[in-house]
Coordinates of all heavy atoms in Angstrom, one line a residue:
A6 N -9.3 6.8 8.0 CA -9.8 6.1 6.8 C -9.8 6.9 5.6 O -9.6 6.4 4.5 CB -11.2 5.5 7.1
Q7 N -10.0 8.3 5.7 CA -10.1 9.1 4.6 C -8.7 9.2 3.9 O -8.6 9.2 2.7 CB -10.6 10.5 5.0 CG -10.7 11.5 3.8 CD -11.6 10.9 2.7 OE1 -12.6 10.3 2.9 NE2 -11.3 11.2 1.5
A8 N -7.6 9.2 4.7 CA -6.3 9.3 4.1 C -6.0 8.0 3.3 O -5.4 8.1 2.2 CB -5.3 9.4 5.2
A9 N -6.5 6.9 3.8 CA -6.3 5.6 3.1 C -7.1 5.6 1.8 O -6.6 5.1 0.7 CB -6.7 4.4 4.0
R10 N -8.3 6.1 1.8 CA -9.2 6.2 0.6 C -8.5 7.1 -0.5 O -8.5 6.7 -1.6 CB -10.6 6.7 0.9 CG -11.4 5.7 1.6 CD -12.9 6.2 1.8 NE -13.6 5.4 2.7 CZ -13.8 5.6 4.0 NH1 -13.3 6.7 4.5 NH2 -14.4 4.8 4.7
A11 N -8.0 8.2 0.0 CA -7.4 9.1 -1.0 C -6.1 8.5 -1.6 O -5.8 8.6 -2.8 CB -7.0 10.4 -0.3
M12 N -5.4 7.8 -0.7 CA -4.1 7.1 -1.2 C -4.5 6.1 -2.2 O -3.8 5.9 -3.2 CB -3.4 6.5 0.0 CG -2.1 5.9 -0.3 SD -0.9 7.2 -1.0 CE 0.5 6.2 -1.1
C13 N -5.5 5.3 -1.9 CA -5.9 4.2 -2.9 C -6.3 4.8 -4.2 O -5.9 4.3 -5.3 CB -7.0 3.4 -2.3 SG -6.5 2.2 -1.1
A14 N -7.1 5.8 -4.2 CA -7.7 6.4 -5.4 C -6.5 6.9 -6.3 O -6.5 6.7 -7.5 CB -8.7 7.5 -5.1
A15 N -5.6 7.6 -5.7 CA -4.5 8.2 -6.4 C -3.5 7.2 -6.9 O -3.1 7.2 -8.1 CB -3.7 9.3 -5.6
T16 N -3.2 6.2 -6.1 CA -2.2 5.2 -6.4 C -2.8 4.3 -7.6 O -2.0 3.9 -8.5 CB -1.9 4.3 -5.2 OG1 -1.3 5.1 -4.2 CG2 -0.9 3.2 -5.5
R17 N -4.0 3.9 -7.5 CA -4.6 3.1 -8.6 C -4.6 3.7 -10.0 O -4.7 3.0 -11.0 CB -6.0 2.7 -8.2 CG -6.1 1.7 -7.0 CD -7.5 1.4 -6.6 NE -7.5 0.5 -5.4 CZ -8.5 0.4 -4.6 NH1 -9.5 1.2 -4.7 NH2 -8.4 -0.4 -3.6
L18 N -4.4 5.0 -10.0 CA -4.3 5.7 -11.3 C -2.8 5.7 -11.8 O -2.6 6.1 -13.0 CB -4.8 7.1 -11.2 CG -6.3 7.3 -10.9 CD1 -6.6 8.8 -10.6 CD2 -7.1 6.7 -12.0
E19 N -1.9 5.3 -11.0 CA -0.5 5.3 -11.4 C -0.2 4.3 -12.5 O -0.7 3.1 -12.4 CB 0.4 5.0 -10.2 CG 0.5 6.1 -9.2 CD 1.5 5.8 -8.1 OE1 2.6 5.4 -8.4 OE2 1.1 5.9 -6.9
P20 N 0.7 4.6 -13.5 CA 1.1 3.6 -14.4 C 1.8 2.5 -13.7 O 2.6 2.7 -12.8 CB 2.1 4.4 -15.3 CG 1.8 5.8 -15.1 CD 1.2 5.9 -13.7
G21 N 1.5 1.3 -14.0 CA 2.2 0.1 -13.4 C 1.5 -0.4 -12.2 O 1.9 -1.5 -11.7
C22 N 0.5 0.2 -11.7 CA -0.2 -0.3 -10.5 C -1.2 -1.3 -11.0 O -2.2 -1.0 -11.7 CB -0.9 0.9 -9.7 SG -1.8 0.3 -8.3
V23 N -1.1 -2.5 -10.5 CA -2.0 -3.6 -10.8 C -3.1 -3.7 -9.7 O -4.2 -3.9 -10.0 CB -1.2 -5.0 -10.9 CG1 -2.2 -6.1 -11.1 CG2 -0.2 -4.9 -12.0
A24 N -2.7 -3.5 -8.4 CA -3.6 -3.6 -7.3 C -3.0 -2.8 -6.2 O -1.8 -2.8 -6.0 CB -3.8 -5.0 -6.9
Y25 N -3.9 -2.2 -5.4 CA -3.5 -1.4 -4.2 C -4.7 -1.4 -3.3 O -5.8 -0.9 -3.7 CB -3.1 0.0 -4.6 CG -2.4 0.7 -3.5 CD1 -1.0 0.6 -3.3 CD2 -3.1 1.5 -2.6 CE1 -0.4 1.3 -2.3 CE2 -2.5 2.2 -1.6 CZ -1.1 2.1 -1.4 OH -0.4 2.7 -0.4
R26 N -4.6 -1.9 -2.1 CA -5.7 -1.9 -1.1 C -5.2 -2.0 0.3 O -4.1 -2.5 0.6 CB -6.7 -3.0 -1.4 CG -6.2 -4.4 -1.2 CD -7.3 -5.5 -1.5 NE -7.7 -5.4 -2.9 CZ -7.1 -6.2 -3.9 NH1 -6.1 -7.0 -3.6 NH2 -7.6 -6.1 -5.1
F27 N -6.0 -1.5 1.2 CA -5.8 -1.6 2.6 C -6.7 -2.7 3.2 O -7.8 -2.8 2.8 CB -6.1 -0.3 3.3 CG -5.2 0.8 3.1 CD1 -5.1 1.5 1.9 CD2 -4.3 1.2 4.1 CE1 -4.3 2.5 1.6 CE2 -3.4 2.2 3.8 CZ -3.4 2.9 2.6
A28 N -6.2 -3.5 4.1 CA -6.9 -4.6 4.7 C -6.8 -4.4 6.3 O -5.7 -4.4 6.8 CB -6.4 -5.9 4.3
F29 N -7.9 -4.3 6.9 CA -7.9 -4.1 8.4 C -8.0 -5.5 9.0 O -8.9 -6.3 8.7 CB -9.1 -3.2 8.8 CG -8.9 -1.8 8.3 CD1 -9.3 -1.5 7.0 CD2 -8.2 -0.9 9.0 CE1 -9.1 -0.2 6.5 CE2 -8.0 0.4 8.5 CZ -8.5 0.7 7.2
D30 N -7.1 -5.8 9.9 CA -7.0 -7.1 10.6 C -8.2 -7.3 11.5 O -8.5 -6.5 12.4 CB -5.7 -7.1 11.4 CG -5.3 -8.5 11.8 OD1 -6.1 -9.2 12.5 OD2 -4.2 -8.9 11.5
L31 N -8.8 -8.4 11.4 CA -10.0 -8.8 12.2 C -9.7 -9.1 13.6 O -10.5 -8.9 14.5 CB -10.8 -10.0 11.6 CG -11.4 -9.7 10.2 CD1 -12.0 -11.0 9.7 CD2 -12.4 -8.6 10.2
E32 N -8.5 -9.6 13.9 CA -8.1 -9.9 15.2 C -7.4 -8.8 15.9 O -7.3 -8.8 17.2 CB -7.2 -11.2 15.2 CG -7.9 -12.4 14.7 CD -7.1 -13.6 14.7 OE1 -5.9 -13.6 15.1 OE2 -7.6 -14.7 14.2
D33 N -6.8 -7.9 15.2 CA -6.1 -6.7 15.8 C -6.5 -5.5 15.1 O -6.0 -5.1 14.0 CB -4.6 -6.9 15.6 CG -3.7 -5.8 16.2 OD1 -4.3 -4.8 16.7 OD2 -2.5 -5.9 16.2
P34 N -7.5 -4.7 15.7 CA -8.0 -3.5 15.0 C -7.0 -2.4 14.8 O -7.2 -1.5 14.1 CB -9.1 -3.1 16.0 CG -8.8 -3.7 17.3 CD -8.0 -5.0 17.0
D35 N -5.8 -2.5 15.5 CA -4.8 -1.5 15.3 C -3.8 -1.9 14.2 O -2.9 -1.2 13.9 CB -4.0 -1.4 16.6 CG -4.8 -0.8 17.7 OD1 -5.7 0.0 17.4 OD2 -4.6 -1.1 18.9
C36 N -4.1 -3.0 13.5 CA -3.2 -3.5 12.5 C -3.8 -3.4 11.1 O -5.0 -3.8 10.9 CB -2.9 -5.0 12.7 SG -1.8 -5.7 11.5
V37 N -3.1 -2.7 10.2 CA -3.6 -2.5 8.8 C -2.5 -3.1 7.9 O -1.3 -2.8 8.0 CB -3.8 -1.0 8.5 CG1 -4.3 -0.8 7.1 CG2 -4.9 -0.5 9.5
H38 N -3.0 -3.9 6.9 CA -2.0 -4.4 5.9 C -2.3 -3.6 4.6 O -3.5 -3.4 4.3 CB -2.3 -5.9 5.7 CG -2.1 -6.7 6.9 ND1 -0.9 -7.2 7.3 CD2 -3.0 -7.1 7.8 CE1 -1.0 -7.9 8.4 NE2 -2.3 -7.9 8.8
I39 N -1.2 -3.3 3.9 CA -1.4 -2.7 2.6 C -0.9 -3.7 1.6 O 0.2 -4.2 1.6 CB -0.6 -1.4 2.5 CG1 -1.0 -0.4 3.5 CG2 -0.8 -0.8 1.1 CD1 -0.2 0.8 3.6
F40 N -1.8 -4.1 0.7 CA -1.5 -5.0 -0.4 C -1.2 -4.2 -1.7 O -2.1 -3.5 -2.1 CB -2.6 -6.0 -0.6 CG -2.4 -6.9 -1.8 CD1 -1.6 -8.0 -1.8 CD2 -3.0 -6.6 -3.0 CE1 -1.4 -8.8 -2.9 CE2 -2.8 -7.4 -4.2 CZ -2.0 -8.5 -4.1
E41 N -0.1 -4.4 -2.3 CA 0.3 -3.7 -3.5 C 0.8 -4.7 -4.5 O 1.5 -5.6 -4.2 CB 1.4 -2.7 -3.3 CG 1.1 -1.7 -2.2 CD 2.2 -0.7 -2.0 OE1 2.9 -0.3 -3.0 OE2 2.5 -0.4 -0.8
Q42 N 0.4 -4.5 -5.8 CA 0.9 -5.3 -6.9 C 1.3 -4.4 -8.0 O 0.5 -3.6 -8.4 CB -0.1 -6.3 -7.4 CG 0.4 -7.3 -8.4 CD -0.6 -8.3 -8.9 OE1 -1.7 -8.3 -8.4 NE2 -0.2 -9.1 -9.8
W43 N 2.6 -4.5 -8.4 CA 3.1 -3.6 -9.4 C 3.7 -4.3 -10.6 O 4.1 -5.5 -10.4 CB 4.2 -2.7 -8.8 CG 3.7 -1.8 -7.7 CD1 3.6 -2.1 -6.4 CD2 3.2 -0.5 -7.9 NE1 3.0 -1.1 -5.7 CE2 2.7 -0.1 -6.6 CE3 3.0 0.3 -9.0 CZ2 2.2 1.2 -6.4 CZ3 2.4 1.5 -8.8 CH2 2.0 2.0 -7.5
E44 N 3.6 -3.7 -11.8 CA 4.1 -4.4 -13.0 C 5.6 -4.5 -13.0 O 6.2 -5.4 -13.6 CB 3.7 -3.6 -14.2 CG 2.2 -3.7 -14.5 CD 1.7 -2.9 -15.7 OE1 2.6 -2.2 -16.3 OE2 0.6 -3.0 -16.1
S45 N 6.3 -3.6 -12.2 CA 7.8 -3.6 -12.2 C 8.3 -2.9 -11.0 O 7.6 -2.1 -10.3 CB 8.3 -2.9 -13.5 OG 8.0 -1.5 -13.4
A46 N 9.6 -3.2 -10.7 CA 10.2 -2.5 -9.6 C 10.3 -1.0 -9.9 O 10.3 -0.2 -9.0 CB 11.6 -3.1 -9.4
E47 N 10.5 -0.6 -11.1 CA 10.5 0.8 -11.5 C 9.2 1.5 -11.2 O 9.2 2.6 -10.7 CB 10.9 0.9 -13.0 CG 12.3 0.4 -13.3 CD 12.4 -1.1 -13.5 OE1 11.4 -1.8 -13.6 OE2 13.6 -1.6 -13.4
A48 N 8.1 0.8 -11.5 CA 6.8 1.5 -11.2 C 6.6 1.6 -9.7 O 6.1 2.7 -9.2 CB 5.7 0.6 -11.7
L49 N 7.1 0.7 -8.9 CA 7.0 0.8 -7.4 C 7.9 1.9 -7.0 O 7.5 2.8 -6.1 CB 7.4 -0.5 -6.8 CG 7.5 -0.5 -5.2 CD1 6.1 -0.1 -4.6 CD2 7.9 -1.8 -4.7
A50 N 9.1 2.0 -7.5 CA 10.1 3.1 -7.1 C 9.5 4.5 -7.4 O 9.6 5.4 -6.6 CB 11.4 2.9 -7.8
H51 N 8.8 4.6 -8.6 CA 8.2 5.8 -9.0 C 7.1 6.2 -7.9 O 6.9 7.4 -7.6 CB 7.6 5.8 -10.4 CG 6.7 6.9 -10.7 ND1 7.3 8.2 -11.1 CD2 5.4 7.1 -10.7 CE1 6.3 9.0 -11.3 NE2 5.2 8.4 -11.1
H52 N 6.3 5.2 -7.5 CA 5.2 5.4 -6.6 C 5.7 6.1 -5.3 O 5.1 6.9 -4.7 CB 4.6 4.0 -6.2 CG 3.7 4.0 -5.1 ND1 2.5 4.6 -5.0 CD2 3.9 3.4 -3.8 CE1 1.9 4.4 -3.8 NE2 2.7 3.7 -3.1
F53 N 6.9 5.7 -4.8 CA 7.4 6.2 -3.6 C 7.8 7.7 -3.7 O 7.8 8.4 -2.7 CB 8.7 5.4 -3.1 CG 8.3 4.1 -2.6 CD1 8.9 3.0 -3.1 CD2 7.4 3.9 -1.6 CE1 8.6 1.7 -2.6 CE2 7.1 2.6 -1.1 CZ 7.7 1.5 -1.6
G54 N 7.9 8.2 -4.9 CA 8.2 9.6 -5.1 C 7.1 10.5 -5.5 O 7.2 11.7 -5.8
T55 N 5.8 10.0 -5.5 CA 4.7 10.7 -5.9 C 4.2 11.7 -4.8 O 4.4 11.5 -3.6 CB 3.5 9.8 -6.2 OG1 3.2 9.0 -5.1 CG2 3.8 8.9 -7.4
P56 N 3.6 12.8 -5.2 CA 3.0 13.7 -4.3 C 2.0 13.1 -3.3 O 2.0 13.5 -2.1 CB 2.4 14.8 -5.1 CG 3.1 14.7 -6.5 CD 3.4 13.3 -6.6
H57 N 1.2 12.2 -3.8 CA 0.2 11.6 -2.9 C 0.9 10.7 -1.8 O 0.4 10.6 -0.7 CB -0.9 10.9 -3.6 CG -0.5 9.9 -4.6 ND1 -0.2 10.2 -5.9 CD2 -0.3 8.5 -4.5 CE1 0.2 9.1 -6.5 NE2 0.1 8.1 -5.7
M58 N 2.0 10.1 -2.2 CA 2.7 9.4 -1.2 C 3.3 10.3 -0.1 O 3.2 10.0 1.1 CB 3.9 8.6 -1.8 CG 4.8 7.9 -0.8 SD 3.9 6.7 0.3 CE 4.1 5.2 -0.7
A59 N 3.8 11.4 -0.5 CA 4.3 12.4 0.5 C 3.2 12.9 1.4 O 3.4 13.0 2.6 CB 5.0 13.6 -0.2
T60 N 2.1 13.2 0.8 CA 0.9 13.7 1.6 C 0.5 12.6 2.6 O 0.3 12.9 3.8 CB -0.3 14.0 0.7 OG1 0.2 15.1 -0.2 CG2 -1.5 14.4 1.5
F61 N 0.4 11.3 2.1 CA 0.0 10.2 3.0 C 1.0 10.0 4.1 O 0.6 9.9 5.3 CB -0.1 8.9 2.2 CG -0.6 7.8 3.0 CD1 -1.9 7.7 3.5 CD2 0.3 6.7 3.2 CE1 -2.3 6.6 4.2 CE2 -0.2 5.6 3.9 CZ -1.5 5.5 4.4
Q62 N 2.3 10.1 3.8 CA 3.3 9.9 4.9 C 3.2 11.0 5.9 O 3.3 10.8 7.1 CB 4.6 9.8 4.3 CG 4.9 8.5 3.6 CD 6.2 8.4 2.9 OE1 6.8 9.4 2.5 NE2 6.7 7.2 2.8
A63 N 2.9 12.2 5.5 CA 2.8 13.3 6.4 C 1.5 13.2 7.3 O 1.6 13.5 8.5 CB 2.7 14.6 5.6
Q64 N 0.5 12.6 6.7 CA -0.7 12.4 7.5 C -0.6 11.2 8.5 O -1.3 11.2 9.5 CB -1.9 12.1 6.6 CG -2.3 13.2 5.7 CD -3.3 12.8 4.7 OE1 -3.4 11.7 4.2 NE2 -4.2 13.8 4.3
L65 N 0.3 10.3 8.3 CA 0.5 9.2 9.1 C 0.8 9.5 10.6 O 0.4 8.9 11.5 CB 1.5 8.2 8.6 CG 1.1 7.3 7.5 CD1 2.2 6.3 7.1 CD2 -0.1 6.4 7.9
G66 N 1.6 10.6 10.7 CA 2.0 11.0 12.0 C 0.9 11.3 13.0 O 1.0 11.0 14.2
G67 N -0.2 11.8 12.5 CA -1.4 12.0 13.3 C -2.4 10.9 13.4 O -3.4 10.9 14.1
I68 N -2.1 9.8 12.7 CA -3.0 8.6 12.6 C -2.4 7.4 13.4 O -3.2 6.8 14.1 CB -3.2 8.2 11.2 CG1 -3.9 9.3 10.4 CG2 -4.1 6.9 11.1 CD1 -4.0 9.1 8.9
I69 N -1.2 7.1 13.3 CA -0.6 5.9 13.9 C 0.0 6.2 15.2 O 0.5 7.3 15.5 CB 0.3 5.2 12.9 CG1 1.6 6.1 12.6 CG2 -0.4 4.8 11.7 CD1 2.6 5.4 11.8
A70 N 0.0 5.2 16.1 CA 0.5 5.3 17.5 C 1.9 4.9 17.6 O 2.6 5.3 18.5 CB -0.4 4.5 18.4
A71 N 2.4 4.1 16.6 CA 3.8 3.6 16.7 C 4.4 3.6 15.2 O 3.6 3.6 14.3 CB 3.8 2.2 17.2
P72 N 5.7 3.6 15.1 CA 6.3 3.5 13.8 C 5.8 2.3 13.0 O 5.6 1.2 13.6 CB 7.8 3.4 14.0 CG 8.0 3.9 15.4 CD 6.7 3.6 16.2
P73 N 5.5 2.4 11.7 CA 5.0 1.2 11.0 C 6.1 0.2 10.8 O 7.3 0.4 10.8 CB 4.7 1.8 9.6 CG 5.5 3.0 9.5 CD 5.7 3.6 10.9
Q74 N 5.7 -1.1 10.7 CA 6.6 -2.2 10.4 C 6.3 -2.5 9.0 O 5.2 -2.9 8.6 CB 6.2 -3.4 11.3 CG 6.4 -3.2 12.8 CD 6.0 -4.4 13.6 OE1 5.7 -5.4 13.1 NE2 6.1 -4.2 14.9
I75 N 7.4 -2.3 8.2 CA 7.2 -2.5 6.7 C 8.1 -3.7 6.3 O 9.2 -3.8 6.6 CB 7.7 -1.2 6.0 CG1 6.8 0.0 6.5 CG2 7.6 -1.3 4.5 CD1 7.3 1.3 6.0
A76 N 7.4 -4.5 5.5 CA 8.1 -5.7 4.9 C 7.7 -5.7 3.4 O 6.5 -5.5 3.1 CB 7.8 -7.0 5.6
R77 N 8.6 -6.1 2.6 CA 8.3 -6.2 1.1 C 8.4 -7.7 0.8 O 9.5 -8.3 1.0 CB 9.3 -5.4 0.3 CG 9.0 -5.6 -1.2 CD 10.0 -4.7 -2.0 NE 9.8 -5.0 -3.4 CZ 10.6 -4.6 -4.3 NH1 11.8 -4.0 -4.0 NH2 10.4 -4.9 -5.6
Y78 N 7.4 -8.2 0.2 CA 7.4 -9.6 -0.2 C 7.4 -9.7 -1.7 O 6.7 -8.9 -2.4 CB 6.1 -10.3 0.3 CG 6.0 -10.4 1.8 CD1 5.4 -9.3 2.5 CD2 6.5 -11.4 2.5 CE1 5.3 -9.3 3.9 CE2 6.4 -11.5 3.9 CZ 5.8 -10.4 4.6 OH 5.7 -10.4 5.9
V79 N 8.3 -10.5 -2.2 CA 8.4 -10.7 -3.7 C 7.8 -12.0 -4.0 O 8.3 -13.1 -3.6 CB 9.8 -10.6 -4.1 CG1 9.9 -10.8 -5.6 CG2 10.4 -9.2 -3.8
V80 N 6.7 -12.0 -4.8 CA 6.1 -13.3 -5.2 C 6.5 -13.6 -6.6 O 6.4 -12.8 -7.5 CB 4.5 -13.1 -5.2 CG1 3.8 -14.4 -5.6 CG2 4.1 -12.7 -3.8
E81 N 7.1 -14.8 -6.7 CA 7.6 -15.2 -8.0 C 6.6 -15.9 -8.9 O 6.7 -15.8 -10.1 CB 8.8 -16.2 -7.8 CG 10.0 -15.6 -7.0 CD 10.7 -14.5 -7.9 OE1 10.7 -14.6 -9.1 OE2 11.2 -13.6 -7.2
A82 N 5.6 -16.4 -8.3 CA 4.5 -17.1 -9.2 C 3.2 -17.1 -8.4 O 3.2 -17.2 -7.2 CB 5.0 -18.5 -9.5
V83 N 2.1 -17.1 -9.2 CA 0.8 -17.2 -8.6 C 0.1 -18.3 -9.4 O 0.0 -18.2 -10.6 CB 0.0 -15.9 -8.7 CG1 -1.4 -16.0 -8.2 CG2 0.7 -14.8 -8.0
N84 N -0.4 -19.3 -8.7 CA -1.1 -20.4 -9.3 C -2.4 -20.6 -8.7 O -2.6 -20.4 -7.4 CB -0.2 -21.7 -9.2 CG 1.1 -21.5 -9.9 OD1 1.2 -21.2 -11.0 ND2 2.2 -21.7 -9.1
P85 N -3.4 -21.1 -9.4 CA -4.7 -21.4 -8.8 C -4.6 -22.6 -7.8 O -3.7 -23.4 -8.0 CB -5.6 -21.7 -9.9 CG -4.7 -22.1 -11.1 CD -3.4 -21.4 -10.8
L86 N -5.4 -22.6 -6.8 CA -5.4 -23.7 -5.8 C -6.2 -24.9 -6.3 O -7.1 -24.8 -7.0 CB -6.0 -23.3 -4.5 CG -5.1 -22.3 -3.7 CD1 -5.9 -21.8 -2.5 CD2 -3.8 -23.0 -3.3

């Protein structure tokens, strides 16, 4: 959890980061979702090259039991319900 907290704190300071958070699945305690919202694809690309991303990825080897499943969702519009 400390690695996730450090990653959130550093990422939220990045230019172009609108939102960044980890969500732990209530039905599967081994499942963690990362919600990210970026102002642009360029800001997201920059995020992947940051030192805190490299540190976080290095720490993952000792934290996770299996390779992560990564999917990128592109939301075109957000409207109130």
Side-chain angles (χ1 to χ4, degrees):
Q7 183 56 35
R10 284 187 193 96
M12 185 63 175
C13 283
T16 299
R17 289 175 180 157
L18 295 175
E19 289 183 50
C22 180
V23 176
Y25 192 89
R26 69 180 61 92
F27 287 76
F29 295 87
D30 194 302
L31 296 175
E32 294 179 4
D33 181 356
D35 295 327
C36 181
V37 178
H38 301 273
I39 302 174
F40 172 81
E41 304 179 40
Q42 184 179 358
W43 296 91
E44 290 178 355
S45 66
E47 293 79 18
L49 176 60
H51 172 77
H52 167 67
F53 289 125
T55 60
H57 54 273
M58 174 59 91
T60 298
F61 181 68
Q62 288 178 331
Q64 292 171 332
L65 281 181
I68 297 172
I69 60 175
Q74 296 178 5
I75 300 172
R77 179 180 177 194
Y78 298 89
V79 178
V80 178
E81 296 295 328
V83 177
N84 299 305
L86 290 176

